[in-house]
Amino acid sequence: GFRGGVPAIWLAGLAGKTKSIRLGWGVPGVWPPTVAPVREAEQAATLDGACGGRLDVAVLPEVGDRARAVAVVDQVADVDASLDAEVAAELSAAAPSTDVRDEGIRMWVEMWAPATFSWTSPRFSVPPIDVVPKPVQRPHPPLWLVGWSAEHAVHAGRAGLGFLDVSGGGLELWAEHRE
């Protein structure tokens, strides 16, 4: 599956064989963050360097079938609903215009900035470190959210991400998601 190194190795091989096509990498576990995103940020920056700045990164709600992904999103919604007032206030103060589910992506963007990175939240604690390498593309490779619902499209828009619609719907459904 996606969690292993095979997709990254395959993309690194393609990077050396191609010169103009963009390469896409799907990364699970960052939206919502179920793993610390540091390793994925390093891998994405390495791949971006290997392909000369032609990497697009798509964050996946969950590895596996659609039902499992929906279950993970629902679990995060339950966690969001059960956060106590203090934690909710801390999250809102840290990033008032973003959703808890966007935390992994926000972490990536900060890791790829030139400054030393650190992070403290109810989910993650990262002491000051310099995450290297940095991506070739500045400020970072294009980031996409893969999804299949209007809710996913809204979250992508609010987080400033592109939206890769995999709903399998027709033009009417895609138009609804685009709105």
Side-chain angles (χ1 to χ4, degrees):
F2 282 100
R3 187 54 58 206
V6 175
I9 293 168
W10 180 244
L11 286 172
L14 287 174
K17 300 288 184 191
T18 64
K19 298 294 178 217
S20 60
I21 65 168
R22 296 198 62 81
L23 301 178
W25 185 40
V27 185
V30 177
W31 190 91
T34 56
V35 296
V38 174
R39 179 73 59 202
E40 284 85 357
E42 293 169 337
Q43 275 195 309
T46 300
L47 286 169
D48 193 51
C51 70
R54 295 180 286 125
L55 183 70
D56 281 42
V57 181
V59 292
L60 310 171
E62 171 64 1
V63 178
D65 64 359
R66 183 175 169 154
R68 283 182 52 208
V70 169
V72 168
V73 171
D74 289 345
Q75 287 171 5
V76 171
D78 291 344
V79 168
D80 292 348
S82 67
L83 288 174
D84 63 33
E86 182 180 328
V87 171
E90 179 183 333
L91 289 170
S92 295
S97 64
T98 57
D99 188 284
V100 172
R101 288 171 265 208
D102 302 329
E103 181 179 25
I105 297 159
R106 292 190 330 260
M107 289 174 76
W108 272 2
V109 170
E110 288 193 28
M111 284 177 216
W112 290 333
T116 299
F117 171 78
S118 65
W119 191 270
T120 302
S121 75
R123 293 182 181 178
F124 301 109
S125 179
V126 181
I129 59 172
D130 189 16
V131 178
V132 292
K134 303 293 186 196
V136 171
Q137 298 178 81
R138 301 310 293 154
H140 53 74
L143 298 172
W144 298 80
L145 175 63
V146 176
W148 49 85
S149 70
E151 180 187 8
H152 290 148
V154 167
H155 281 291
R158 287 185 179 153
L161 304 172
F163 181 62
L164 180 58
D165 192 325
V166 295
S167 65
L171 294 176
E172 288 179 26
L173 182 59
W174 291 336
E176 176 187 326
H177 292 174
R178 189 172 44 250
E179 285 179 32

